[in-house]
Amino acid sequence: MKPDISTEVGAIKIERPTMLASGILGISLDVFDRLYKDGAGAVVTKSLSKEPWEGYPNPTVVGVKTGYLNAVGLSNPGAPYFAKMISLNKTVPIIVSLVGSIPEDFVFMIKQFENVKILGYELNLSCPHVEKVGLEVGDDPELVHKIVKSVKSHSQVPVIAKVGLGSSDYLETVRIACESGVDAITAINTVRAMAIDVETTRPILSHKIGGLSGSAIKPIAVRCVYEISSKFDIPVIGCGGVSSWEDAIEFILAGASAVQIGSALVDKWVGVFSEINSGISKYMEKKNFSKIKEIVGIAKKF
Amino acid sequence: MQRNSDVPTIVKIEKIIDETPTVRTLVFSDEVLSNVLPGQFAMVWIPGINELPMSVMISQEKGKAAFTVRKHGIASTELYSLKAGEQIGVRGPYGNSFTIKQGKILLVGGGTGLVPLMRLLTFLKKTDDVTLLIGSKTKNEVFFEKMANQILEYNKHQVIVATEDGSYGKSGLVTQVVENLLSETKFDAVYTCGPEKMMHKVVQLASSKNIHVQASIERMMKCGMGICGSCCFGEVLACRDGTVFDGKYLLTNKEFGLTHRNKAGMLEDY
Ligand SMILES: Cc1cc2nc3c(=O)[nH]c(=O)nc-3n(C[C@H](O)[C@H](O)[C@H](O)COP(=O)(O)OP(=O)(O)OC[C@H]3O[C@@H](n4cnc5c(N)ncnc54)[C@H](O)[C@@H]3O)c2cc1C
Ligand SMILES: Cc1cc2nc3c(=O)[nH]c(=O)nc-3n(C[C@H](O)[C@H](O)[C@H](O)COP(=O)(O)O)c2cc1C
Ligand code: FES
């Protein structure tokens, strides 16, 4: 029998365990439609703010030897505009990523999506390159508690917290998010990093410091998924450097119920989802697993 | 030469050619970009200012490439104002390229949209019968006319200029000239790059006559490599699925000729 690659992240049920990571290709419903047809189990939107943001000047995304560096500056068309756009969505499982600095921002944004069919929210508590949002929120336990509480009390759908490596212990952020009622955790976001061009002697990104993504951060992300799922009883979505089915399985063995994919699109383009899905399916067949659930976290028994 | 095309490579501007009072060509040495396919572009870093997508222009010297830039906003004006000896960063090449057909070929370019078409000229066969149509607002903004005639020296060819104010060549919009040409001659392929409204009309005209037509699309670009999403154009990404698309597809794209996205990703009308 063909293995079943559908999976559950708490109350979120998806047909395939590979999702599009936030910020990647995430501003148009037509593109979401295409990625879903191409095999993505769900798509996460760009992190949306209350108002439209232009983001930083270029260079905002460049390659480094081991991956990619970005400081896009959370450019996005704003939650009201976006909600209107995706209100036409019939088929695509969409997770809306939100970014803000106070609970009221989040409540305002959730109101925009009240009548829009979405799978859930992902709170970006971990963007490493925009002040007063992202990591600066994630690093403030009090604020995390307030934001999660108010989002949970206004949201009709599950709420995921996306954490990253800030200046405080990320496991503390996870603990508070869990205690405040969050339904799942995505780990991790990009890791604060920088590249300097030796010829011009200048930082390359216009924002100077950005976030590192791609294969370079995969071992770090796997460790975080392993730690979170070992310490807390909460579903985890793995993110960071997934570019093959082996990477995806590694995250699942570490404790992830699904994975998100971003940078791998550069090399593999939109075919990456179906490639990884079929790799996972073949692996399960070979190893006699019939459901993703059977693999989640089994590396922890050693 | 092997390199990670997403990491900026620093090159030095070696020569500057004034094309018109507002357009310049900057020549530099770069083996990789000197060999790109027609239609491909690079992300060009102007250190301390910004990074812009630019079509790769030909240079007649081996191992050299060029950009032809019109001074417009802040970033392009800074690029335009660079002096020989100054440095820029280039990454790429990015994007696909025109599918080259043979026979009677029509190229329709407007403004700096001529850049990829000039490279395309160098890929045509000596047996091709080539018509290049250059559209411009006025006489002193016309450029590449002489160079195109030189490149096509051994071809049966004609280079036609149309100016909107009638100060040089044919008078009026290029699309009017295209309409006339298509009614007189049976072309095997049409290639176009320039303002989207112009390309839209050219694609409609050529498609209505069942001629193979391709256009190179411009959108706001941040990464150039297909992850940031800023260049989305219907369900495709201009930087990665394009920039060159077939007319047949373009006429099904609901944004073509109508809307594009601003820096925040909101749709705006053309
Ligand atoms: C694939 C591609 C190839 C191009 N090739 C050339 C070329 O060969 N020669 C040339 O002169 N110009 C070319 N351009 C246009 C060029 O990238 C700039 O858009 C233009 O120079 C104006 O930039 P600015 O920052 O000076 O203007 P601004 O005043 O900052 O912006 C004016 C307008 O320019 C456009 N623009 C600005 N930044 C970008 C960006 N990052 N990506 C896309 N559009 C932008 C937007 O429509 C914007 O509204 C190309 C664009 C693309 C997408
Ligand atoms: C260009 C770019 C933009 C991103 N924008 C966002 C964003 O808006 N919100 C967010 O939570 N993460 C954002 N990220 C982080 C990714 O979602 C992901 O966590 C990270 O890239 C690691 O995954 P990867 O190695 O598969 O790319 C962005 C990453 C990149 C490369
Ligand atoms: S410019 Fe980033 S996806 Fe095309």
Side-chain angles (χ1 to χ4, degrees):
Chain A
M1 214 178 68
K2 247 196 137 28
D4 176 10
I5 64 164
S6 71
T7 186
E8 287 165 24
V9 181
I12 297 177
K13 294 187 173 52
I14 51 179
E15 297 157 49
R16 303 175 288 257
T18 45
M19 303 180 178
L20 176 75
S22 177
I24 314 293
L25 301 186
I27 55 172
S28 118
L29 181 57
D30 295 324
V31 174
F32 288 161
D33 258 320
R34 171 181 176 186
L35 296 174
Y36 179 55
K37 283 188 195 121
D38 281 337
V43 298
V44 186
T45 70
K46 256 183 196 290
S47 293
L48 303 169
S49 48
K50 242 174 102 174
E51 270 130 34
W53 285 350
E54 280 199 356
Y56 298 130
N58 276 344
T60 47
V61 188
V62 294
V64 291
K65 257 187 205 152
T66 51
Y68 296 91
L69 204 54
N70 91 83
V72 171
L74 296 174
S75 79
N76 79 88
Y81 179 96
F82 205 89
K84 217 157 139 199
M85 182 182 76
I86 65 166
S87 64
L88 304 168
N89 175 44
K90 299 250 162 20
T91 49
V92 189
I94 297 179
I95 294 173
V96 171
S97 170
L98 301 176
V99 70
S101 41
I102 47 171
E104 291 73 20
D105 291 351
F106 289 88
V107 174
F108 169 84
M109 291 191 279
I110 286 172
K111 286 215 156 58
Q112 313 297 313
F113 290 93
E114 259 163 11
N115 299 311
V116 181
K117 194 175 148 257
I118 58 173
L119 270 193
Y121 292 106
E122 185 180 85
L123 310 180
N124 179 352
L125 306 177
S126 46
C127 175
H129 53 72
V130 178
E131 278 167 40
K132 306 219 164 57
V133 298
L135 268 183
E136 293 192 10
V137 172
D139 282 339
D140 181 341
E142 188 71 11
L143 199 51
V144 170
H145 172 73
K146 283 193 186 141
I147 288 173
V148 174
K149 272 267 182 228
S150 56
V151 168
K152 272 303 286 179
S153 68
H154 287 85
S155 171
Q156 319 286 324
V157 290
V159 178
I160 306 161
K162 181 169 177 183
V163 299
L165 303 178
S167 53
S168 59
D169 178 7
Y170 81 103
L171 287 170
E172 205 32 39
T173 314
V174 174
R175 187 181 64 77
I176 289 158
C178 291
E179 283 173 11
S180 314
V182 92
D183 300 285
I185 300 284
T186 297
I188 58 174
N189 208 311
T190 54
V191 177
R192 208 187 284 263
M194 174 170 204
I196 296 170
D197 174 60
V198 295
E199 190 55 46
T200 58
T201 69
R202 283 175 178 277
I204 299 179
L205 294 176
S206 78
H207 189 64
K208 303 184 176 74
I209 288 178
L212 180 66
S213 63
S215 308
I217 65 167
K218 196 198 78 184
I220 303 174
V222 171
R223 180 265 292 182
C224 294
V225 168
Y226 183 85
E227 283 181 346
I228 295 167
S229 68
S230 304
K231 291 206 160 72
F232 304 95
D233 182 23
I234 188 145
V236 183
I237 301 169
C239 179
V242 176
S243 79
S244 65
W245 67 262
E246 290 94 332
D247 295 336
I249 293 287
E250 196 178 338
F251 274 98
I252 298 173
L253 293 172
S257 308
V259 294
Q260 294 180 355
I261 299 170
S263 304
L265 275 121
V266 179
D267 281 339
K268 305 205 164 163
W269 199 216
V270 295
V272 69
F273 299 102
S274 64
E275 180 193 313
I276 294 182
N277 292 337
S278 75
I280 291 173
S281 175
K282 284 193 190 118
Y283 171 84
M284 288 170 68
E285 203 168 353
K286 196 176 96 193
K287 294 264 184 194
N288 272 321
F289 293 118
S290 57
K291 288 200 159 296
I292 295 274
K293 227 193 311 203
E294 296 162 22
I295 330 172
V296 175
I298 58 179
K300 283 185 289 191
K301 71 177 181 222
F302 298 103
Chain B
M1 197 175 92
Q2 273 292 318
R3 75 173 181 209
N4 177 343
S5 61
D6 302 323
V7 179
T9 300
I10 302 299
V11 299
K12 194 188 279 173
I13 312 255
E14 291 167 10
K15 195 162 73 183
I16 291 164
I17 304 162
D18 279 318
E19 308 286 359
T20 78
T22 56
V23 177
R24 277 180 183 162
T25 298
L26 316 175
V27 183
F28 55 94
S29 296
D30 187 74
E31 202 59 44
V32 177
L33 294 188
S34 76
N35 285 313
V36 305
L37 297 169
Q40 290 191 297
F41 68 96
M43 292 300 293
V44 183
W45 179 34
I46 312 141
I49 307 293
N50 210 317
E51 189 185 42
L52 284 174
M54 285 279 144
S55 298
V56 185
M57 181 55 192
I58 43 166
S59 156
Q60 263 110 324
E61 295 164 75
K62 211 181 160 324
K64 299 202 178 194
F67 298 121
T68 296
V69 56
R70 178 187 299 281
K71 75 174 198 209
H72 182 79
I74 297 172
S76 56
T77 301
E78 289 287 338
L79 185 60
Y80 170 93
S81 309
L82 292 180
K83 311 227 164 12
E86 290 189 283
Q87 292 173 318
I88 51 174
V90 296
R91 58 185 178 90
Y94 295 117
N96 64 358
S97 62
F98 291 103
T99 313
I100 297 160
K101 300 270 180 182
Q102 288 179 34
K104 266 184 139 17
I105 309 292
L106 173 64
L107 303 103
V108 186
T112 52
L114 275 167
V115 170
L117 301 183
M118 295 302 283
R119 188 170 278 271
L120 180 53
L121 288 183
T122 68
F123 279 74
L124 295 177
K125 295 265 179 322
K126 291 282 167 279
T127 47
D128 292 329
D129 176 355
V130 186
T131 302
L132 172 67
L133 186 48
I134 298 178
S136 177
K137 284 210 162 57
T138 181
K139 181 177 179 184
N140 68 5
E141 283 185 21
V142 177
F143 54 99
F144 291 160
E145 185 187 7
K146 200 166 137 214
M147 188 193 282
N149 275 307
Q150 272 168 10
I151 297 171
L152 295 169
E153 198 179 353
Y154 302 105
N155 282 77
K156 184 171 177 220
H157 76 276
Q158 54 176 342
V159 177
I160 304 171
V161 177
T163 53
E164 281 174 36
D165 66 358
S167 53
Y168 184 62
K170 299 205 184 235
S171 179
L173 291 173
V174 265
T175 45
Q176 190 53 55
V177 185
V178 174
E179 197 163 355
N180 297 341
L181 282 171
L182 291 181
S183 65
E184 293 159 7
T185 313
K186 197 181 166 334
F187 286 95
D188 294 299
V190 177
Y191 301 101
T192 182
C193 184
E196 198 155 310
K197 289 271 188 208
M198 176 200 93
M199 293 195 284
H200 189 241
K201 186 83 193 167
V202 173
V203 167
Q204 278 179 328
L205 289 169
S207 301
S208 70
K209 297 211 172 312
N210 268 322
I211 304 170
H212 169 84
V213 53
Q214 290 188 314
S216 167
I217 301 301
E218 268 189 29
R219 280 294 178 275
M220 177 59 61
M221 286 185 189
K222 295 188 176 178
C223 72
M225 56 180 109
I227 47 175
C228 75
S230 69
C231 71
C232 65
F233 167 52
E235 69 285 4
V236 296
L237 280 300
C239 75
R240 188 67 195 254
D241 297 304
T243 59
V244 178
F245 296 95
D246 283 350
K248 239 194 220 122
Y249 165 73
L250 287 171
L251 293 177
T252 67
N253 185 302
K254 60 188 180 203
E255 291 181 21
F256 181 49
L258 297 173
T259 53
H260 62 107
R261 282 174 203 268
N262 65 16
K263 287 177 184 161
M266 302 164 96
L267 278 178
E268 287 176 346
D269 289 341
Y270 259 115

